[in-house]
Amino acid sequence: MASSDGATARADHQRSRGLAPFLRSQMRNIAPFLTLIFLSGFFAIASPSFATIDNVGNILTQVSVTGIIAVGLTFVILCAEIDLSIASIANVTGIAVAYFTLQESYVNIANVPMPGIVAILLALALCALLGLVNALGLTMIGIPSFIMTLAMMQIAAGVSALLVRGQIAYKVPDLITTLGSSSIGGIPWIVIVAAVMLLGGHLVLTYTRFGRYVYMVGGNREAAEFAGLNVKLILGSVMVISAVCSGIGGMLGVAHFGSAQQNEFDTYLLDSIAAVVVGGTSLFGGRGGIGNTIVGLFVLGVLNNGLDHVNIDSFLKILIRGLILLAALIINVYAQRLREQAAD
């Protein structure tokens, strides 16, 4: 009998020892989900207007542009790189698609009108080209992604300024207008596009060889090279993917906001990085994914929307967002240390 009790106690002890490492290893994934539950519960209690179907739709719409941009950024961060040019590329692409669209006579911009599909293709070609420049700077010249994309941020902002010269454009091709500002069955098209892109990004990262290569490059770049992977090609590809996703977000964002102008997407740099990092994707690469980004998007969406419902000072809102991002970074770094300790 005593031996049976002792065996049971040892089994319980082993289970408890096994549970603790599991919780530590999953902290990066668990913390954002618990944060989302806490914020949702808090705002639902604090404001009766928060927990409604209409407001859920508002949150989905509000995070759609960020979600589209964050798809490409997730690929970049999984490779342990960063892209600081996403907001500027989104802005210049949105301006470009308006620049190649016939504007009303009162718009004082010397633009070059093209057929709608041509305008869209030219805008996409522009963002892909800017992403390719980032890729070449990172892989061929060896400029760190932080510095390369910082320079691209200024280049894209300069192109935006040259195209509109401080003016505001309003018209974009009909397809972009529909996808950015119209609905189908009560669901905004921009939400559908964001959902499709997030799903597509998840499928690529989870079920394709390229997705496995992205995780391998981010997890251990030297091992990936020894395994025969073309690491430079993978890194260059994710930079182009990031730029194209940003460009799509920029075009739809211009239609959603109703205008194309300089500095329109400046806040989306921090929002997109925060969505990826707050969701639990590791800044050190190789851990996380689109699922984490979706959780991060909802955390930010619930936070921003909920603070509006409880009428908190707008300056305090900025501070709270910064504190949550800081907490996510601390968890990110701490989780990486636990991973390194476990590997030793």
Side-chain angles (χ1 to χ4, degrees):
M1 185 72 175
S3 62
S4 176
D5 291 342
T8 302
R10 284 194 298 273
D12 291 341
H13 180 63
Q14 289 174 351
R15 281 195 294 269
S16 64
R17 289 183 61 189
L19 180 61
F22 172 78
L23 291 176
R24 285 198 298 268
S25 66
Q26 294 299 313
M27 178 176 58
R28 186 187 291 118
N29 297 320
I30 295 172
F33 190 69
L34 293 178
T35 302
L36 177 59
I37 294 174
F38 170 78
L39 289 174
S40 299
F42 172 78
F43 288 124
I45 295 171
S47 173
S49 62
F50 176 81
T52 63
I53 297 298
D54 288 342
N55 194 49
V56 172
N58 291 335
I59 293 173
L60 291 174
T61 303
Q62 289 165 4
V63 302
S64 292
V65 174
T66 304
I68 293 170
I69 297 173
V71 171
L73 185 62
T74 302
F75 281 77
V76 173
I77 292 181
L78 281 173
C79 284
E81 301 291 347
I82 193 65
D83 187 351
L84 299 180
S85 64
I86 49 176
S88 293
I89 290 179
N91 202 42
V92 73
T93 308
I95 287 175
V97 78
Y99 181 83
F100 292 118
T101 304
L102 181 64
Q103 299 294 317
E104 301 292 346
S105 58
Y106 57 80
V107 176
N108 187 25
I109 297 176
N111 64 333
V112 182
M114 296 282 184
I117 188 64
V118 176
I120 295 171
L121 292 176
L122 287 173
L124 286 174
L126 174 61
C127 66
L129 176 62
L130 296 179
L132 183 60
V133 173
N134 277 336
L136 293 176
L138 172 64
T139 60
M140 296 292 102
I141 304 176
I143 304 173
S145 59
F146 180 90
I147 302 300
M148 183 64 228
T149 58
L150 184 65
M152 180 55 67
M153 179 172 66
Q154 295 298 312
I155 293 170
V159 174
S160 297
L162 285 172
L163 291 178
V164 294
R165 297 183 178 274
Q167 304 298 312
I168 301 176
Y170 298 96
K171 288 187 67 67
V172 293
D174 293 339
L175 175 61
I176 300 300
T177 300
T178 299
L179 295 179
S181 59
S182 299
S183 302
I184 179 171
I187 303 175
W189 272 110
I190 195 170
V191 174
I192 296 173
V193 173
V196 169
M197 291 189 64
L198 286 163
L199 176 61
H202 173 72
L203 293 176
V204 168
L205 286 172
T206 307
Y207 298 107
T208 69
R209 183 175 298 177
F210 176 76
R212 292 193 295 272
Y213 290 169
V214 168
Y215 281 103
M216 289 175 65
V217 170
N220 191 324
R221 194 165 296 183
E222 291 184 0
E225 289 178 344
F226 287 138
L229 296 188
N230 189 334
V231 172
K232 289 184 176 180
L233 180 61
I234 301 300
L235 292 176
S237 298
V238 299
M239 299 306 291
V240 175
I241 290 171
S242 178
V244 171
C245 289
S246 297
I248 294 172
M251 287 193 293
L252 298 188
V254 163
H256 183 68
F257 302 140
S259 65
Q261 54 189 304
Q262 291 174 238
N263 307 319
E264 190 169 27
F265 290 84
D266 284 359
T267 60
Y268 283 86
L269 172 59
L270 179 59
D271 287 349
S272 300
I273 293 175
V276 178
V277 177
V278 168
T281 295
S282 174
L283 286 167
F284 302 95
R287 293 290 186 279
I290 297 296
N292 297 83
T293 298
I294 292 172
V295 174
L297 284 169
F298 277 112
V299 169
L300 293 179
V302 167
L303 176 64
N304 292 332
N305 183 276
L307 290 175
D308 290 337
H309 278 262
V310 296
N311 296 320
I312 283 184
D313 188 318
S314 60
F315 295 103
L316 182 60
K317 177 180 175 180
I318 297 172
L319 173 61
I320 292 173
R321 289 174 59 194
L323 291 175
I324 288 183
L325 177 57
L326 176 61
L329 292 173
I330 292 172
I331 292 172
N332 216 300
V333 172
Y334 184 62
Q336 177 66 17
R337 289 179 180 173
L338 291 176
R339 178 186 169 194
E340 292 174 350
Q341 291 171 4
D344 292 340

